[in-house]
Amino acid sequence: MSKWLLTTVLFICFFIYCGAPQQPGQTVPSSPGAEVAYTQLSESELQRLLKVLPTFIDIIEKEGKEVELKGKPGDIMSSMQAMGMVNKQIAGLDAKLRAQGMGWNEFWPAYVKTMLAYGALLLDSLKVETQKEMAKNQSEIAKMEAKLNDPKVSETEKQMIKTSLEAIKSFQNMFAQIDTVYAKVPQTNKLIVNKYKNELDKLLDRD
């Protein structure tokens, strides 16, 4: 499994969070959850993170399979708080990160903000084409819905059409939700992360 996939799996719940951003300057809790996701990221914070991130990725590759997230099903905040406690499940994680220059209580907020901004940049690069495809889908949806009311269309074909419609609408809802999440990322965070995107790409095994 690639480093990118492992890191993404560990971070996936942040892609579906739609909570309100925390204001810059507010205190970051020692066991951060969703509330830190939209705070300001400093360049020095990201520079330090880049030095520690390889160690974190290596640890997750070796021990991440043992991590059990105990958030309540369907409770996004609970899931995020569980993610913020990964250091309690991997023995020596804080000490190993601290040895590289950034303990868990500093690493986790920086990681959250960086990965959210990184994802926002990826979404921005795909957004125009995705929206074009979604616009094309609207005309296809209209045609398919018309067929559902056509008595000449067989029940078998109608069932296939229903399945396709559900898939299209599911994607549209998912995209709208993700777009809402990333729209809250501070522009300054995106600018800082974009400056170091090549380094992040290499660390996350992205071309």
Side-chain angles (χ1 to χ4, degrees), residues 6-200:
L6 282 163
T7 307
T8 301
V9 168
L10 183 62
F11 191 71
I12 191 65
C13 71
F14 285 96
F15 291 175
I16 56 173
Y17 175 63
C18 299
Q22 184 182 5
Q23 294 301 313
Q26 285 185 283
T27 302
V28 175
S30 60
S31 297
E35 65 273 16
V36 305
Y38 302 106
T39 55
Q40 295 294 324
L41 174 71
S42 70
E43 186 167 359
S44 61
E45 192 178 11
L46 177 53
Q47 289 172 339
R48 293 176 65 207
L49 176 73
L50 289 171
K51 294 178 181 178
V52 181
L53 191 54
T55 298
F56 176 68
I57 292 173
D58 287 342
I59 293 171
I60 291 301
E61 282 188 319
K62 294 174 182 176
E63 303 186 48
K65 63 182 179 181
E66 304 298 331
V67 174
E68 180 183 358
L69 301 179
K70 297 182 179 180
K72 298 176 183 178
D75 186 335
I76 301 303
M77 178 64 78
S78 172
S79 296
M80 287 190 174
Q81 290 171 341
M83 293 281 284
M85 300 298 287
V86 166
N87 65 310
K88 301 294 184 182
Q89 296 194 48
I90 300 180
L93 177 60
D94 177 65
K96 291 174 182 176
L97 296 180
R98 193 177 298 279
Q100 299 302 316
M102 201 176 206
W104 179 256
N105 289 346
E106 291 182 281
F107 173 85
W108 180 244
Y111 175 74
V112 169
K113 291 180 282 186
T114 297
M115 291 303 295
L116 202 62
Y118 183 81
L121 290 172
L122 294 178
L123 183 64
D124 287 346
S125 68
L126 297 172
K127 198 169 183 178
V128 174
E129 289 303 317
T130 301
Q131 289 176 333
K132 286 180 181 178
E133 289 300 316
M134 289 173 66
K136 291 179 183 178
N137 284 341
Q138 293 305 315
S139 61
E140 292 299 318
I141 289 173
K143 292 177 183 178
M144 287 190 283
E145 289 178 337
K147 285 187 176 182
L148 291 178
N149 297 316
D150 188 345
K152 296 179 182 179
V153 177
S154 69
E155 287 303 315
T156 299
E157 186 176 351
K158 285 183 179 181
Q159 188 56 50
M160 292 175 64
I161 291 172
K162 288 179 181 178
T163 300
S164 296
L165 283 171
E166 288 175 2
I168 291 172
K169 291 178 180 180
S170 176
F171 172 78
Q172 289 177 331
N173 290 336
M174 179 186 69
F175 183 84
Q177 188 179 29
I178 291 174
D179 191 33
T180 299
V181 172
Y182 287 134
K184 297 173 184 176
V185 175
Q187 184 64 22
T188 52
N189 288 12
K190 290 165 64 176
L191 291 172
I192 290 171
V193 170
N194 190 53
K195 185 176 178 179
Y196 295 88
K197 187 173 179 300
N198 288 339
E199 291 180 52
L200 282 164

